[in-house]
Amino acid sequence: MGHPNPKSNSHSGKYNVDDEDDEYTKRIKRSGCFAQNENLLICYYDTKDWRKCRNLMKEFKLCMERNNPDAKK
């Protein structure tokens, strides 16, 4: 099963492939944790239950803490 691309020019036309990333996406990309974030979002999209994604959430959190030691905890 494919996963939707929120930037695709689908149904509503609200998103466009040329849209820039928002600040949170830019920050995650700069952190080096983009893949972990994508895996977490895909898990939630597939399950609609954050509890089933706890391991992926922990991986993302650890990555962010490791790559952003000055971030508030």
Side-chain angles (χ1 to χ4, degrees):
M1 176 180 156
H3 299 286
N5 178 354
K7 292 191 174 200
S8 70
N9 211 0
S10 62
H11 307 304
S12 70
K14 180 177 179 184
Y15 297 103
N16 187 327
V17 225
D18 296 328
D19 287 347
E20 289 188 27
D21 291 331
D22 63 26
E23 278 304 309
Y24 293 105
T25 302
K26 288 178 186 176
R27 194 174 306 164
I28 291 168
K29 284 181 176 179
R30 285 191 305 263
S31 75
C33 302
F34 187 74
Q36 291 85 345
N37 184 64
E38 285 292 298
N39 291 337
L40 176 59
L41 294 175
I42 289 169
C43 177
Y44 178 71
Y45 177 82
D46 287 345
T47 64
K48 304 294 188 264
D49 186 349
W50 285 114
R51 295 170 296 181
K52 294 180 180 176
C53 306
R54 285 182 182 150
N55 289 339
L56 293 171
M57 192 177 303
K58 184 176 181 177
E59 286 178 27
F60 176 61
K61 179 184 177 195
L62 290 173
C63 182
M64 290 297 286
E65 288 174 350
R66 183 174 51 248
N67 293 329
N68 300 290
D70 296 331
K72 291 182 181 179
K73 294 182 183 181

